[in-house]
Every structure is written in C-alpha cells, then in structure tokens.
C-alpha cells in the first residue's frame, strides 16, 4: 500500500482536484484506492455527495483520544463512492474544532498513521487531502505518507506559499526517521500568460529535482466534473487536464519502483 499526501499551505492551488483526478485514474486501471479527507471544509467529502455538516462519524473520530485506533473503529468510518474501487474516509466540520484545541494535541500526530496500519492489505493506494494550514491535521498527513505531492499554482504569489511548505517539510524531516520525498506539480498553467510561463521557469530553477515534468493546464473540465460529482476521467478522459494528470501519475509510479 502506497500512501501519498497532497498538501500545500496555500489554498485553492488544486489539492482536492489532484486527489480526485489521480484517484479516478488509479481506479480505472484496477487499483483499490482509499481517500482521506483531512480538510475541515470537507471539499473532497462533498465532491462525493456526503455532507460534512451532517455526518455522525468521520475522520474526526480518530482524534477523540490519542493513542491506539481499533480496526472496528476504522471500518466504521469507511464510505463508498460512485466509483467502485474508491472508498472515502470523510471529513466533518467538527474537524475545525480540533485545530483550535491546540493544548490537546500531545500525542495526536500519528492518529492517521495508526488507523492506516489496519488497512494495509485492503488498498493499493491511499491519497490524503490536507487542509491549507499547518496544524495537527497536516502534521498527521505528512507523518502518515510515503510521498508528498505539492500542487503549486503557476503564479508568483504562489511561490511564497510554496517556500513556506518547503520549510514545513524540513521541519517534519527532523522528526521523521526517513526523509520525506516530495514532488511539486505546477497547476493552473496557461502558456498564453507571461505570469504562468515565467513562474514555471522559476520553479525549474528553484526546485530542479523535485519539480514534476507533467504540467497541469487550466482546464474548465475540472470544475464541471466537480459540479457533477464525478471523477474528471469519467467526465472526459480525453481532456487536456486528465492527460496531464495521467502523465504525472505514470512518473509518480515509475519513481516509486
Ligand atoms: N487545472 C485546473 N484548471 C481549472 N480549474 C481548476 C484546476 N484545478 C482546480 N480547479 C478548480 O479550482 C478550484 C480550486 O481547486 P481545488 O479545490 O482543487 O483547490 P484546493 O487546493 O483543494 O483548495 P482548498 O485549499 O480550498 O482546499 C475548484 O473549483 C477546481 O474545480
Ligand atoms: Mg481542497
């Protein structure tokens, strides 16, 4: 089981879209995929038609007490989606209260990793959608994953947010036994705009080893897919955006071999 976290401290850079699109592509070729929504806004949860305000059980349950998580507890949280091979561990809005209860975070950094131990043989891939804030939830995502994917919007303001994320990775690495590997993916790329073109050039210069060769273009099909609640490859497998994510996925899988 491969665990990938998708995170960036900047909002609206394409994190949830990356999770959903990669999941659709992985499921299509036969992999079993688990998605974990760690964002209190619950965009990923809403994507698959669950209401984050109305769920009685969610990933929040894992944070009721620090320490061991039982297999039954994890099982009770798994939800099906409209794609057979994709399951979801949903978020509820209660997650927001967790970030505020900072004093209680002692020992809470590994709750997601603990839960995933019970699911090792059931999924091929786990994709974790992380909120755009550095807090106990993002720490859980980074601690649980084997590889981190950092979507970065190709515009200059986004470079600052990215710098912050890279500093967070260094901080996390001090606590991890094994260094966290990561891939930066340029998103919202529009080759007709100077901002996109020069930002991509800058990304190449700053992060030559971590930058993905696949570049995700601006593509309105992503929004259409999210409005319909279907994975983008099910809406239009031939779209430019889906093609770019398929390229990214091939390189990620290749890299992990
Ligand atoms: N490559 C793209 N081209 C066009 N629109 C996109 C693209 N990627 C994402 N979007 C749209 O942009 C919006 C923000 O994307 P998304 O929700 O994936 O970002 P996010 O990083 O998860 O945001 P947040 O930080 O709020 O969780 C969504 O409406 C999504 O459909
Ligand atoms: Mg999101």
């Amino acid at each position: 089981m491969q665990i990938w976290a998708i995170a960036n401290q900047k909002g609206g850079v394409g994190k949830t879209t990356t999770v959903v699109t990669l999941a659709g592509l992985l499921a299509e070729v036969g992999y079993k995929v688990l998605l974990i929504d760690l964002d209190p806004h619950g965009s990923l949860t809403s994507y698959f038609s669950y209401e984050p305000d109305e769920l009685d059980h969610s990933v929040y349950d894992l944070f009721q007490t620090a320490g061991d998580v039982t297999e039954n507890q994890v099982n009770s949280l798994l939800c099906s989606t409209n794609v057979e091979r994709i399951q979801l561990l949903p978020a509820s809005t209660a997650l927001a209260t967790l970030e505020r209860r900072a004093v209680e975070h002692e020992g809470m950094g590994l709750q997601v990793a603990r839960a995933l131990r019970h699911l090792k043989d059931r999924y091929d891939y786990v994709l974790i959608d992380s909120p755009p804030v550095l807090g106990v939830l993002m720490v859980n995502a980074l601690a649980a994953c084997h590889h981190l994917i950092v979507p970065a919007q190709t515009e200059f303001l986004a470079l600052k947010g990215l710098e912050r994320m890279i500093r967070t990775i260094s901080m996390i690495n001090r606590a991890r036994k094994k260094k966290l590997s990561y891939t930066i993916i340029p998103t919202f790329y529009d080759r007709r705009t100077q901002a996109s073109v020069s930002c991509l050039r800058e990304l190449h210069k700053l992060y030559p080893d971590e930058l993905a060769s696949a570049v995700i273009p601006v593509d309105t099909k992503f929004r259409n897919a999210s409005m319909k609640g279907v994975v983008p490859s099910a809406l239009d497998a031939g779209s430019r955006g889906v093609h770019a994510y398929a390229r990214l996925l091939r390189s990620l899988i290749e890299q992990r071999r």
Side-chain angles (χ1 to χ4, degrees):
M1 183 170 86
Q2 270 295 313
I3 307 169
W4 294 345
I6 291 75
N8 189 334
Q9 270 146 277
K10 189 157 180 349
V13 295
K15 294 182 290 296
T16 303
T17 303
T18 299
V19 171
V20 170
T21 312
L22 291 180
L25 290 167
L26 283 164
E28 225 164 68
V29 291
Y31 289 118
K32 285 200 216 110
V33 186
L34 175 66
L35 304 183
I36 304 183
D37 192 356
L38 285 187
D39 188 344
H41 286 127
S43 316
L44 181 63
T45 302
S46 314
Y47 199 110
F48 290 105
S49 308
Y50 289 96
E51 280 292 338
D53 317 336
E54 289 168 14
L55 288 171
D56 290 330
H57 294 285
S58 75
V59 74
Y60 178 70
D61 295 21
L62 301 177
F63 296 89
Q64 301 296 15
T65 51
D68 231 6
V69 175
T70 67
E71 187 166 359
N72 280 344
Q73 196 182 359
V74 184
N75 286 342
S76 71
L77 303 179
L78 300 172
C79 297
S80 59
T81 72
N82 55 7
V83 181
E84 198 195 326
R85 294 190 195 89
I86 301 179
Q87 288 200 304
L88 171 71
L89 225 160
S92 63
T93 32
L95 275 178
T97 63
L98 192 72
E99 295 286 14
R100 277 185 241 125
R101 291 190 335 225
V103 279
E104 296 167 34
H105 290 167
E106 195 65 36
M108 287 284 186
L110 292 174
Q111 294 308 97
V112 172
R114 287 184 178 119
L116 285 175
R117 275 183 215 145
H118 296 295
L119 302 173
K120 261 206 317 275
D121 305 321
R122 273 194 266 166
Y123 297 98
D124 301 298
Y125 285 90
V126 178
L127 307 184
I128 308 176
D129 194 4
S130 170
V133 241
L134 175 59
V136 68
L137 293 164
M138 191 190 281
V139 165
N140 264 268
L142 300 185
C145 73
H146 301 120
H147 189 71
L148 170 66
I149 297 169
V150 187
Q153 202 170 338
T154 44
E155 52 130 47
F156 274 101
L157 277 180
L159 288 177
K160 279 267 165 266
L162 185 59
E163 252 172 57
R164 230 178 321 137
M165 190 63 220
I166 304 298
R167 279 201 297 275
T168 299
I169 299 170
S170 317
M171 186 193 82
I172 290 279
N173 274 338
R174 275 179 244 131
R176 277 176 69 113
K177 278 192 222 98
K178 197 161 170 270
K179 235 172 123 184
L180 180 57
S181 61
Y182 63 95
T183 302
I184 298 170
I185 56 165
T187 57
F188 290 89
Y189 185 70
D190 181 351
R191 64 189 161 83
R192 293 164 307 179
T193 68
Q194 191 53 38
S196 263
V197 174
S198 41
C199 185
L200 185 60
R201 203 176 298 137
E202 194 65 17
L203 282 170
H204 268 295
K205 233 193 290 167
L206 292 169
Y207 309 102
D209 300 328
E210 293 83 10
L211 193 70
S213 56
V215 175
I216 313 300
V218 171
D219 187 341
T220 52
K221 300 265 170 66
F222 289 120
R223 192 161 291 145
N224 298 347
S226 85
M227 276 174 341
K228 294 205 164 84
V230 295
V231 294
S233 53
L235 181 78
D236 184 352
S239 68
R240 292 183 316 136
V242 169
H243 268 292
Y245 273 108
R247 248 190 92 204
L248 170 73
L249 183 58
R250 279 195 297 274
S251 69
L252 287 169
I253 292 175
E254 201 53 44
Q255 214 181 329
R256 306 309 298 161
R257 285 216 173 101

